[in-house]
């Protein structure tokens, strides 16, 4: 049943039905006219406000339970999950509903941002002031949530019973959402079952994967058949759901999350630990904050933006965990899920279509090889960044916006003087008071972002300024507030970061060529095949950008087009500000992707129509449907294969195994304070503990790898007495040297052999994953005796 009106005059009894209203077993409301014709209306739904009340009630229960468990330090089952649920719901859910925004999804986006922002701000302030107290913070946040609960319940009761719909109407509207009846419900459950099968196949693949054998091609060369079967099943579910007459948001959301699980967690689950060595650096930093309640601002720049580090230490304390490692493995999917509502909302607003919005989410997942969603400050900042822009984009699209006078191609010059109306449907526009509270809420989110990450606030300030220049917001001073907070924090809160290094920080200003060189040229080195794959990554991102340009051209006449183009382009301004250790180009692509992906979805859909329209059998529904599904399946499998290649390219040296973590913990626990620990490459989990207690150093020294033996002996001495107390070597370090520096196979084994040949080291651990050497006591004693003799003779 796809039409809005269906003639069912001929019944099995050959009689016309009397006028009235009937509801079928499928839940479809059927109005019978006086002439016996029956028309279908939207299905009768339960009052959606009940779900709102449940959400507020759950937040209220968590606001009571979590502080109580924290105070008593109760080892109750599920404490970790309750803590995470508290993090994303309190106080954001009651505060979000109290604002009574005229669309539920906007409320969800704002609630997530507020809930995350509250502890980031609170713990940053307490850590800076030296009054570290996680229990006080969790109690204060819970109290705010409980105080806002009555206002939230009252706002829900005053809202309309029908589901709010202040989102735009598509240029080509989706089919009216009618009841799918039993067939539709069965289709949903079949889709859920298929997703379950995909996850089972993926889990089987994690048991078969041996990521240690990955080479210059990365994961794609060693991915088991179960992995590809899982992606094939998910491609089938996504393709089928995207082509259904009625968009099933629940099934598509579940399938997208499952896609993120399969694409982002395969290696980590197979190895039993989160990859990427920076994750373990953060675990070590967080452990330092947890143990001391202080910030080591003079030791590392990241302590100058303490929101994430102190916030994670706060979570560790509230959840009753020994350290933050429990959060690391699932972090990429967790951050993706938190950003998903904002990503879909942006896609819905940019494309004007719920169907294309989901396609945009799938493209975002497939092109996200940047790996900036690991357990980090930038991943947290990205959630807040997309949330703020999604809310502002909705406020523009849901408002009456004055047309710009004059020639169309010059009208944008006058856009800065335009002020949109208040957002919301005609009967429920946001009042002036509610607009003020909304701006205050967004300001708090921006403040949390400022104290959390160095780079994301700069991008956000430029994006907020673009809203003003394009005449797309009533909050015309929000960008100024964000800039003032960033400058203020940088000047006073981050003095430990720039003191003595201001010349280095300002040296990149305006140096576009140098920034691009450090972000591209200097990073594409080493093994020739590996270099080619790095260029493939760049080309893959370039394809997304090209698709975004095509999509923008197709929607260029919509009023949101100017805003979308600017928000996709403004992150490129970072190239003129900072090289950020050579990663700034990756960050530019990351910040642009929430807008490039839906624009590319528009372009991809138009290309698909152009390709399929001339094909024969178009008038045969079954054949045409099969052709469309086949085209979508082929496209999705290609994108998933490219995701595997681009995101999994560095897996050979970024992977971290459970054994590596266990041996690193054992080494850190046994090493005395001030011990020197040598590593041959800066990858692996060694930084997870011992921050400010142990002294890591490179072995051999950088720049000496052309003559490993001679250089190493000069560093440690002929008897090894001058070397570090321990040497920690992993298979990932071996792969890093081969792929990034072009060293010969077995180069780490040569280093181990040289150290052992001095007689100053002995093997503590030797396995396929880890080798640990310890300097023997005799060599250390001889070295100390020699130094004492030399000192006396002098």
């Amino acid at each position: 049943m796809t039409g809005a009106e269906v003639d069912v005059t001929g019944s099995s009894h050959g009689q016309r039905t009397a006028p009235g209203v009937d509801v079928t077993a499928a839940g479809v409301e059927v109005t019978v006219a006086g002439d016996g014709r029956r028309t279908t209306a939207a299905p009768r739904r339960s009052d959606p406000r009940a779900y709102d009340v449940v959400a507020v009630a759950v937040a209220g229960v968590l606001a009571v339970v979590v502080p109580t468990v924290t105070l008593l330090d109760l080892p109750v089952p599920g404490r970790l999950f309750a803590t995470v649920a508290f993090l994303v719901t309190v106080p954001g859910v009651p505060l979000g509903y109290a604002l009574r925004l005229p669309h539920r999804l906007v409320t969800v986006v704002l609630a997530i941002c507020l809930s995350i922002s509250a502890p980031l701000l609170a713990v940053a302030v307490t850590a800076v002031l030296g009054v570290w107290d996680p229990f006080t913070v969790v109690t204060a946040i819970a109290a705010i949530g409980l105080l806002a609960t009555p206002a939230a319940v009252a706002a829900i009761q005053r809202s309309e019973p029908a589901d709010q719909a202040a989102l735009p109407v598509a240029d080509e509207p989706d089919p009216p959402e009618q009841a799918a009846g039993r067939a539709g419900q069965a289709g949903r459950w079949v889709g859920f079952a298929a997703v379950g099968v995909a996850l089972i196949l993926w889990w089987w693949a994690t048991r078969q994967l041996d990521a240690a054998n990955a080479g210059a091609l990365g994961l794609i060369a060693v991915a088991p058949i179960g992995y590809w079967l899982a992606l094939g099943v998910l491609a089938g579910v996504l393709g089928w759901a995207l082509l259904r007459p009625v968009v099933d948001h629940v099934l598509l959301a579940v399938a997208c999350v499952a896609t993120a699980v399969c694409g982002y967690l395969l290696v980590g689950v197979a190895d039993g630990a989160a990859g990427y060595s920076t994750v373990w650096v953060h675990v070590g930093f967080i452990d330092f904050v947890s143990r001391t309640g202080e910030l080591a601002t003079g030791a590392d720049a990241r302590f100058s933006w303490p929101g994430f580090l102190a916030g994670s230490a706060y979570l560790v304390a509230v959840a009753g965990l020994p350290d933050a490692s429990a959060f690391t493995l699932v972090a990429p999917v967790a951050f993706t899920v938190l950003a998903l509502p904002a990503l879909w909302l942006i896609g819905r607003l940019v494309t004007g279509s719920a169907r294309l919005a989901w396609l945009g989410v799938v493209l975002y997942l497939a092109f996200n090889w940047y790996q900036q969603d690991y357990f980090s400050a930038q991943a947290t900042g990205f959630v807040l960044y997309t949330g703020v822009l999604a809310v502002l984009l909705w406020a523009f699209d849901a408002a009456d916006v004055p047309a710009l006078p004059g020639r169309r191609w010059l009208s944008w010059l006058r856009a800065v003087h335009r002020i949109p109306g208040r957002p919301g449907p005609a009967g429920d526009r946001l009042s002036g008071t509610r607009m003020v509270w909304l701006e205050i809420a967004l300001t708090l989110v921006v403040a949390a972002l400022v104290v959390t990450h160095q780079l994301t606030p700069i991008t956000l300030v430029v994006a907020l300024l673009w809203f003003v220049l394009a005449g797309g917001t009533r909050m015309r001073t929000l960008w100024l507030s964000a800039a003032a907070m960033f400058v203020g924090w940088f000047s006073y809160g981050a003095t430990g970061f720039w003191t003595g290094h201001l010349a280095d920080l300002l040296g990149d200003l305006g140096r576009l060529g140098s920034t691009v060189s450090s972000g591209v040229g200097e990073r594409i080195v080493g093994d020739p095949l590996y270099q080619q794959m790095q260029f493939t990554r760049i080309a893959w991102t370039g394809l997304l950008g090209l698709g975004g340009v095509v999509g923008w051209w197709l929607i260029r006449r919509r009023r949101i087009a100017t805003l979308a183009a600017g928000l996709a382009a403004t992150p490129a301004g970072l190239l003129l500000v900072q090289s950020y250790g050579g990663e700034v180009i990756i960050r530019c692509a990351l910040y642009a992707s929430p807008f490039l992906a839906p624009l590319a979805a528009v372009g991809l859909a138009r290309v698909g129509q152009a390709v399929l329209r001339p094909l024969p059998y178009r008038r045969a529904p079954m054949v045409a449907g099969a052709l469309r599904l086949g085209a979508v399946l082929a496209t999705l499998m290609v994108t998933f294969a490219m995701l595997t290649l681009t995101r999994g390219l560095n897996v050979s040296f970024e992977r971290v195994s459970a054994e590596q973590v266990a041996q690193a913990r054992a080494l850190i626990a046994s090493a005395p304070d001030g011990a020197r620990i040598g590593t041959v490459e800066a990858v692996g989990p060694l930084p997870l503990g011992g921050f400010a207690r142990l002294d890591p150093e490179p072995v051999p020294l950088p720049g000496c790898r052309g003559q490993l033996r001679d250089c190493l002996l000069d560093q440690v001495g002929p008897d090894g007495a001058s070397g570090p107390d321990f040497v920690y070597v992993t298979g990932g370090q071996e792969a890093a040297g081969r792929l990034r520096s072009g060293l010969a196979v077995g180069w780490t084994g040569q280093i181990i052999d040289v150290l052992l040949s001095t007689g100053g080291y002995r093997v503590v651990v030797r396995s396929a994953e880890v080798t640990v050497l310890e300097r023997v006591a005799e060599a250390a004693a001889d070295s100390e005796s020699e130094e004492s003799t030399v000192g006396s003779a002098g």
Side-chain angles (χ1 to χ4, degrees), residues 251-419:
L251 177 58
L252 283 166
V254 170
C256 284
V257 173
T259 300
V261 170
C262 293
Y264 298 172
L265 298 186
L266 177 69
V267 177
V269 173
D271 286 334
Y276 209 62
S277 59
T278 310
V279 169
W280 302 101
V281 173
H282 294 163
V283 171
F285 287 176
I286 293 163
D287 179 66
F288 175 81
V289 177
S290 298
R291 287 187 289 106
T292 66
E294 299 175 356
L295 301 173
T297 52
D300 192 277
R302 281 163 283 199
F303 283 103
S304 295
W305 281 268
F308 169 75
L309 297 178
S312 298
Y314 153 83
L315 275 181
V316 167
V318 174
L321 298 173
D323 59 29
S325 57
F327 301 112
T328 58
L329 180 58
V330 298
V333 171
F335 284 119
T336 299
V337 170
L338 291 176
L340 188 61
L343 292 171
W344 186 89
L345 180 57
I346 290 172
R348 181 67 171 89
L349 295 165
V350 169
T351 65
S353 165
R355 195 180 311 276
L356 291 181
W358 281 116
L359 179 57
V361 171
V362 174
L363 292 180
Y364 167 83
L365 295 174
F367 281 84
N368 181 23
W369 61 264
Y370 319 112
Q371 287 189 285
Q372 300 301 301
D373 46 19
Y374 64 94
F375 187 61
S376 61
Q378 62 261 26
T380 308
F382 181 76
V383 174
L384 303 182
Y385 173 82
T386 53
V388 170
L389 296 186
V391 172
L392 289 177
L393 206 61
W394 163 80
F396 169 78
D397 199 271
D400 292 330
V401 181
L404 296 174
R407 292 183 179 272
R408 186 174 180 276
W409 60 281
L410 286 176
S411 60
W412 66 273
L413 295 173
R414 292 178 290 275
V416 68
H417 303 293
R418 180 176 64 183
I419 300 179

Side-chain angles (χ1 to χ4, degrees), residues 203-230:
W203 178 259
W204 174 52
T206 64
R207 304 302 91 190
Q208 303 297 317
L209 177 67
D210 185 4
N213 290 328
L217 290 175
L219 178 61
I220 198 169
V222 296
I225 184 63
Y227 171 75
W228 297 110
L229 291 175

